[in-house]
Amino acid sequence: MWGRGNIGRTVEELTDHLRLVDHVRALQDGQKEIAEAIRAVNSRLTSIEAEFRVLKAETQRDALREVQHAVQGVQTSMHDELTRMATRLAVLEQALRREAVRQQAQPATPRAPGTLPRLDGAR
């Protein structure tokens, strides 16, 4: 019936089978660990993507602020220059009016041809 050879082979087959079952369990555990690691990496990537969106928005906001400061600087400079020009124009207009009034009050004096009256009041 059952000889020692048959029992030895059966024990070997049973040992091989149990070893295969252990290997399958180890592989299943490894697959579970890999799946968990993939989920963790996916979660981290999603978090990094969100951080990049925030960083992009902050960078765009900072760039917009810099542009606004530059535009305001140019506007201020233009306003200052226009104010200076308007002031100079008003001063010139007053000088021309004074010169015109002074010339009307004085008798006509002969001038050399091609000379213009001086605006600083000197003759």
Side-chain angles (χ1 to χ4, degrees), residues 51-96:
E51 290 173 15
F52 275 132
R53 282 188 210 109
V54 169
L55 181 62
K56 180 181 175 185
E58 288 174 352
T59 303
Q60 287 175 336
R61 183 196 66 215
D62 292 344
L64 181 60
R65 284 183 180 166
E66 290 296 322
V67 168
Q68 285 176 333
H69 288 304
V71 168
Q72 287 174 347
V74 169
Q75 286 175 336
T76 300
S77 177
M78 290 282 293
H79 179 266
D80 292 346
E81 186 60 29
L82 287 173
T83 301
R84 280 192 292 274
M85 289 173 65
T87 302
R88 279 189 247 142
L89 182 61
V91 169
L92 284 173
E93 285 176 344
Q94 288 176 355
L96 285 173

Side-chain angles (χ1 to χ4, degrees), residues 89-104 119:
L89 182 61
V91 169
L92 284 173
E93 285 176 344
Q94 288 176 355
L96 285 173
R97 283 189 193 116
R98 282 194 302 265
E99 182 67 22
V101 168
R102 199 180 93 229
Q103 291 217 353
Q104 286 176 355
L119 297 178

Side-chain angles (χ1 to χ4, degrees), residues 16-82:
D16 288 343
H17 180 73
L18 290 175
R19 219 178 273 140
L20 284 174
V21 169
D22 285 341
H23 287 289
V24 168
R25 284 185 184 147
L27 285 173
Q28 287 173 340
D29 290 342
Q31 286 177 332
K32 288 178 186 176
E33 289 175 10
I34 289 172
E36 288 174 16
I38 289 172
R39 275 193 293 277
V41 167
N42 187 36
S43 174
R44 183 65 183 136
L45 285 174
T46 302
S47 174
I48 289 172
E49 287 173 350
E51 290 173 15
F52 275 132
R53 282 188 210 109
V54 169
L55 181 62
K56 180 181 175 185
E58 288 174 352
T59 303
Q60 287 175 336
R61 183 196 66 215
D62 292 344
L64 181 60
R65 284 183 180 166
E66 290 296 322
V67 168
Q68 285 176 333
H69 288 304
V71 168
Q72 287 174 347
V74 169
Q75 286 175 336
T76 300
S77 177
M78 290 282 293
H79 179 266
D80 292 346
E81 186 60 29
L82 287 173

